[in-house]
């Protein structure tokens, strides 16, 4: 039976992807895309907040600054609760 190879965990790539979510949350809070509905905007923010919650819980971090991730989670949750 062949052995499955798991992808190597690269904290730098994971951190970069998490920062993409931070940027998206911040951009969507500031304004929606031109053709974006309120529901799509809300979905974008919610999906990326959930991604960041998972990311900050990973045990792969060494000296990465998780402050921007935690701030984006908080800002996104606040926006979502203020924009039902």
């Amino acid at each position: 039976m062949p052995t499955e190879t798991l992808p190597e965990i690269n904290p730098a790539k994971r951190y970069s992807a998490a920062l993409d979510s931070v940027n998206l949350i911040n951009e969507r809070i500031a304004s929606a895309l031109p053709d974006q509905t309120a529901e799509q905007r809300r979905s974008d923010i919610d999906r990326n907040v959930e991604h960041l919650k998972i990311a900050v819980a990973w045990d792969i971090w060494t000296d990465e600054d998780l402050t921007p991730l935690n701030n984006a989670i908080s800002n996104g949750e606040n926006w979502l609760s203020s924009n039902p």
Side-chain angles (χ1 to χ4, degrees), residues 15 64-72:
Y15 188 70
E64 292 81 7
D65 181 8
L66 301 182
T67 304
L69 283 63
N70 287 312
N71 288 345

Side-chain angles (χ1 to χ4, degrees), residues 21-22 24-25 29 42-56 69-80:
S21 286
V22 168
L24 186 140
I25 290 167
I29 287 173
R42 188 172 172 71
S43 176
D44 279 355
I45 294 170
D46 184 53
R47 185 176 57 256
N48 283 276
V49 164
E50 292 306 313
H51 170 246
L52 290 179
K53 286 179 181 179
I54 292 167
V56 297
L69 283 63
N70 287 312
N71 288 345
I73 291 168
S74 179
N75 293 340
E77 288 179 333
N78 288 338
W79 187 91
L80 290 165

Side-chain angles (χ1 to χ4, degrees), residues 2-35:
T3 304
E4 183 178 347
T5 304
L6 297 175
E8 181 179 333
I9 295 176
N10 183 325
K13 285 185 181 182
R14 300 280 176 110
Y15 188 70
S16 178
L19 289 178
D20 289 343
S21 286
V22 168
N23 292 331
L24 186 140
I25 290 167
N26 292 335
E27 289 168 2
R28 294 299 183 278
I29 287 173
S31 65
L33 294 174
D35 294 332

